[in-house]
């Protein structure tokens, strides 16, 4: 019977369940998998058009650093305040992880914008891969997180209507 490396809990029995394995928290003797949370985030992003928000392209390393610091700082601070207000244990650890994920998204996307001089699906994928790597709680989970974040990004891209003037 295969077990999850991080917590020793059983893995989902279907390929779909393994593909959507995102988050593992130790609860008793089994993992908590949240594919519905991933899909809800994807649909909310599509519905609000958040993935198509146009910010100025990063034109150099200073823009990349600025976006990383601002994004990580805002999300990390917000997460810390939320977790402290909710009385959750390990609030600082959670805030650091959220800040790392946000900084990864922003930094990967900004770096790709700077190098390629355009904001396209590859920039968003670069951000997703950086976010997955920086948000993984342990080194063995990095590949799973990177693939999960990249798959979610591609799903959001696929669900988005094409920009005006393109079919």
């Amino acid at each position: 019977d295969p077990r999850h490396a991080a917590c020793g809990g059983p893995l989902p029995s279907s390929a779909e369940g393994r593909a959507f394995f995102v988050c593992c928290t130790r609860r008793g003797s089994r993992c908590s998998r949240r594919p519905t949370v991933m899909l809800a985030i994807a649909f909310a992003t599509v519905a609000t058009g958040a993935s198509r928000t146009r910010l100025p392209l990063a034109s150099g390393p200073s823009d990349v650093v600025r976006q990383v610091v601002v994004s990580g700082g805002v999300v990390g601070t917000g997460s810390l305040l939320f977790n402290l207000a909710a009385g959750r244990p390990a609030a600082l650890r959670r805030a650091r992880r959220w800040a790392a994920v946000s900084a990864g998204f922003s930094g990967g996307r900004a770096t790709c914008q700077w190098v390629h001089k355009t904001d396209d699906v590859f920039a968003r994928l670069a951000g997703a891969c950086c976010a997955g790597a920086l948000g993984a709680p342990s080194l063995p989970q990095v590949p799973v997180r990177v693939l999960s974040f990249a798959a979610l990004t591609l799903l959001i891209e696929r669900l988005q209507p094409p920009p005006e003037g393109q079919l």
Side-chain angles (χ1 to χ4, degrees):
D1 187 35
R3 296 283 176 182
H4 181 245
C7 71
L11 288 174
S13 59
S14 68
E16 294 82 17
R18 285 190 296 276
F20 282 113
F21 184 83
V22 176
C23 159
C24 172
T25 55
R26 184 74 179 183
R27 292 194 180 151
S29 62
R30 60 189 191 108
C31 290
S32 171
R33 292 165 198 87
R34 299 187 180 129
T36 53
V37 172
M38 265 185 73
L39 292 175
I41 291 170
F43 288 120
T45 303
V46 169
T48 61
S51 69
R52 299 272 185 193
T53 304
R54 296 292 174 214
L55 297 173
L57 291 178
S59 59
S62 62
D63 288 341
V64 173
V65 170
R66 181 179 44 81
Q67 288 186 20
V68 166
V69 169
V70 169
S71 178
V74 168
V75 171
T77 302
S79 175
L80 180 63
L81 294 174
F82 176 79
N83 284 308
L84 287 173
R88 293 191 172 145
L92 185 58
R93 182 177 49 85
R94 289 174 188 235
R96 274 193 220 140
R97 184 163 309 144
W98 275 101
V101 168
S102 181
F105 267 117
S106 297
R109 186 174 181 175
T111 301
C112 199
Q113 289 172 353
W114 170 44
V115 171
H116 290 281
K117 306 295 185 225
T118 186
D119 185 25
D120 56 3
V121 67
F122 298 110
R124 290 184 282 281
L125 273 174
C129 291
C130 291
L134 292 173
S138 65
L139 191 59
Q141 287 187 354
V142 169
V144 173
R145 294 292 173 116
V146 167
L147 289 174
S148 298
F149 278 57
L152 181 61
T153 299
L154 290 174
L155 175 68
I156 290 170
E157 286 293 320
R158 191 73 179 145
L159 293 174
Q160 287 282 352
E164 290 182 28
Q166 287 185 337
L167 291 178

